[in-house]
Amino acid sequence: MVGPRTRREDAAPTATGPRPTDDRGSGRHPLLRPIWIVGHVVVLVVLVTFPMLGLWQWDRYQQEQAVAAAQSARLDAAPVPLAQVLGPSVTEEQAATLEYTPVTVSGTWAADEQVAQRNRDLDGQLGFDLLAPLELGDGTAVLVRRGFVPPDGPSSADPTADTPIAGTVTVTGFLEVSGRQPEGLGARDADDGVLSTVFHADVDRLDRQSEADLLPMVVHLTSQVPSDGPLPVPQPAPTPDPTQNLSYTLQWFAFTVIVGVGYAFVLVRRVRDHRDGVDSDVDPLLRDRDPR
């Protein structure tokens, strides 16, 4: 007579998915496993670093707001004679405090010394800015940013063909600091020779090919009497945009909230699985290990 069929006690379970377990008697909560501890540390670093980056961007935003307000206040002031604010001995530090100061100056153009600055933009169109010395009659001159010429106009072959008019003119504009040649990577102007096109409105470099001594700043032309005609087109004043830093601020704080809330959700779910006796860790070594 055949006896009742018996089941092997040690048969392997055939169910798939998370394995039931009971870590509650093992003395160590699953959230204290090494893989979870690493996760806790990484999330903690994120929750500290992201808000710090957000606060840094907020500080930059406030700084840019202050710069924009100061720039706007300077540009709104009445223009003063150039000689009252700019002399040959102005230092770089002093030039930074004079930037955007409205000025007016009279002189004659050194048309044969005009150069074109590459890679300039006006309303989304790339072209050239024309830079020319305005001779002041005392052996000095000031480099003037006359304005923009498009690449497909009469300046396409030779941007400097748009020469300024002869005779005495009165230029109104604002001061801008001299450009500088990059120290490392970046387009540089040749140290030697006479340049007709440049990458930078570098007063020191262009002073080497000017008959008059150039003053240490550039006048950004906004109007001229008498006019030169439709070209070049005066470039508008630069407008700082602090909203970019504000956007970065909001992004860093949003990332912080997403990480914090998301990780809290994961922790709650893992605690619930542990309470139900289910090992839901994705690490196969931990999942397959018998907690007994």
Side-chain angles (χ1 to χ4, degrees), residues 72-93:
S72 178
R74 289 186 191 178
L75 290 172
D76 289 341
V80 299
L82 179 69
Q84 289 188 10
V85 293
L86 184 63
S89 60
V90 167
T91 64
E92 288 188 12
E93 292 75 15

Side-chain angles (χ1 to χ4, degrees), residues 18-289:
R19 174 179 176 175
T21 185
D22 187 3
D23 284 338
R24 288 170 291 184
S26 65
R28 183 176 65 177
H29 196 281
L31 293 182
L32 297 180
R33 290 170 172 170
I35 190 172
W36 279 99
I37 292 176
V38 171
H40 301 333
V41 172
V42 171
V43 172
L44 179 62
V45 170
V46 168
L47 294 180
V48 172
T49 304
F50 282 14
M52 291 178 62
L53 292 172
L55 292 174
W56 175 68
Q57 287 292 345
W58 175 255
D59 185 60
R60 291 290 305 273
Y61 167 68
Q62 292 181 311
Q63 292 176 15
E64 291 293 332
Q65 274 193 316
V67 169
Q71 175 180 322
S72 178
R74 289 186 191 178
L75 290 172
D76 289 341
V80 299
L82 179 69
Q84 289 188 10
V85 293
L86 184 63
S89 60
V90 167
T91 64
E92 288 188 12
E93 292 75 15
Q94 292 171 326
T97 65
L98 292 173
E99 191 171 21
Y100 304 118
T101 300
V103 295
T104 182
V105 59
S106 296
T108 56
W109 294 110
D112 58 337
E113 296 180 7
Q114 178 172 256
V115 298
Q117 185 179 3
R118 301 171 182 267
N119 302 330
R120 302 300 294 175
D121 175 272
L122 181 63
D123 297 330
Q125 182 183 26
L126 284 177
F128 303 89
D129 273 1
L130 298 182
L131 309 170
L134 186 68
E135 296 179 339
L136 307 183
D138 60 355
T140 65
V142 62
L143 188 66
V144 177
R145 184 181 298 280
R146 296 181 58 222
F148 176 87
V149 290
D152 55 352
S155 343
S156 56
D158 179 12
T160 59
D162 289 301
T163 56
I165 62 175
T168 301
V169 297
T170 299
V171 169
T172 301
F174 58 88
L175 293 174
E176 65 176 62
V177 295
S178 170
R180 303 180 66 180
Q181 305 294 333
E183 295 290 339
L185 297 177
R188 288 181 57 90
D189 297 316
D191 292 331
D192 303 318
V194 176
L195 306 177
S196 60
T197 59
V198 296
F199 291 103
H200 310 282
D202 186 344
V203 173
D204 289 339
R205 173 60 186 89
L206 294 176
D207 186 46
R208 303 177 199 169
Q209 61 188 58
S210 174
E211 291 185 7
D213 295 328
L214 292 181
L215 295 176
M217 296 188 73
V218 179
V219 172
H220 186 123
L221 182 150
T222 56
S223 65
Q224 174 185 313
V225 179
S227 173
D228 269 324
L231 290 177
V233 181
Q235 286 275 17
T239 53
D241 184 16
T243 58
Q244 185 178 33
N245 296 106
L246 179 60
S247 174
Y248 291 152
T249 300
L250 297 177
Q251 288 178 28
W252 284 120
F253 285 125
F255 293 156
T256 303
V257 173
I258 291 171
V259 171
V261 173
Y263 198 64
F265 175 79
V266 171
L267 293 180
V268 169
R269 183 173 180 178
R270 184 63 187 92
V271 170
R272 184 181 302 162
D273 288 343
H274 174 62
R275 182 191 60 197
D276 295 340
V278 176
D279 187 349
S280 58
D281 287 347
V282 297
D283 186 334
L285 296 179
L286 295 178
R287 187 181 62 222
D288 296 338
R289 188 176 62 184

